[in-house]
Amino acid sequence: MKWGATLLLVLGLIVVFYMTRDEKQSNQTAPTSEVIVYGFDVGQGDSTFIQTKTETILIDGGNNGKGDDVVRYLKTLGVTRLTTVIATHPDADHIGGLDTVLDAFEVEQVYAPRVNHTTETYRDFLLAVKREGVTIKTAKSGVTIPSQSVDLAILAPVQDGTSDLNSWSAVVRLSHVDNTFLFMGDAPIRTEQDLLATGIDLTADVLKIGHHGADTSSSIPFLQAVHPTRALISVGEGNAYRHPRPTVMNALAAESITVDRTDRMGTVQYTSNGTIIEVKSRTDLRPE
């Protein structure tokens, strides 16, 4: 009887051991795929690309004449189709190149704020979307963009904008496990105040600065709420607007935020493994 009791005890301990081991293994986090964010060098304009295991997402396409550069960048990165294109607002330096991109790639869905504009550049964008055979989905607060790899939410516009097209800018937040990115388009301080008033979590590791570093964006309360480690500024070398403005650069310095500028680094690449973000310059992705 003693031997039988001992045997049962040993078998019980073995079962507990394997159950505990299996439970620990099941609780381990599976390896996370990388997410790569590119701040494309498009001169005095804006174009950002997000590449995940399952999605290819382009936010804006630079100015008229920059579409060819964006297409070349995407093809260099091995892109054959775009799952999502987001036109943040109708300004030419953001949507000017999108007609060329839409004509070059199969695009599954397009998002843009519900605001009309009468320029030829905006008409070219609308005609390219029509040729693509898709319907524009409204970019506004509360919209979630479907993704299997990341959380991608449109935070603004919170309310209808004004005659200032920048106030219609789509603001997009990307979350990849513990890493976050916030893309501001040309959103002005008015939009920043709207976002602060919602009480939504705005924290981000990387902030794509609004309006190329103009002093109409990047207020101190907003920078403090986002509390980024790094800031991306898409800007052209020696631009006539003198972007980024000294007041913005001083504010970023005061908040100890490292600045990455496309006029100095060219295309900036951020690689996230979900915990750490690595940053480097892509000297092969420059305008011709």
Side-chain angles (χ1 to χ4, degrees), residues 28-72:
Q28 288 176 353
T29 303
T32 304
S33 299
E34 289 183 340
V35 170
I36 307 177
V37 174
Y38 301 87
F40 282 156
D41 181 4
V42 290
Q44 185 62 22
D46 224 319
S47 184
T48 307
F49 178 57
I50 302 165
Q51 192 169 33
T52 78
K53 183 179 180 181
T54 53
E55 286 94 25
T56 47
I57 302 156
L58 182 69
I59 305 175
D60 291 332
N63 218 324
N64 290 301
K66 292 298 182 180
D68 289 334
D69 285 328
V70 175
V71 169
R72 180 168 51 84

Side-chain angles (χ1 to χ4, degrees), residues 229-252:
T229 302
R230 307 188 77 95
L232 169 64
I233 302 180
S234 182
V235 65
E237 184 177 5
N239 66 86
Y241 305 98
R242 293 184 293 154
H243 293 160
R245 304 291 286 187
T247 51
V248 173
M249 295 302 293
N250 290 339
L252 293 171

Side-chain angles (χ1 to χ4, degrees), residues 199-262:
I200 193 171
D201 180 13
L202 296 172
T203 56
D205 298 298
V206 179
L207 172 65
K208 207 291 293 179
I209 292 294
H211 204 186
H212 321 282
D215 52 16
T216 54
S217 304
S218 306
S219 61
I220 290 289
F222 183 72
L223 292 178
Q224 290 175 341
V226 179
H227 194 56
T229 302
R230 307 188 77 95
L232 169 64
I233 302 180
S234 182
V235 65
E237 184 177 5
N239 66 86
Y241 305 98
R242 293 184 293 154
H243 293 160
R245 304 291 286 187
T247 51
V248 173
M249 295 302 293
N250 290 339
L252 293 171
E255 297 300 320
S256 301
I257 301 168
T258 301
V259 177
D260 305 311
R261 297 171 49 164
T262 59

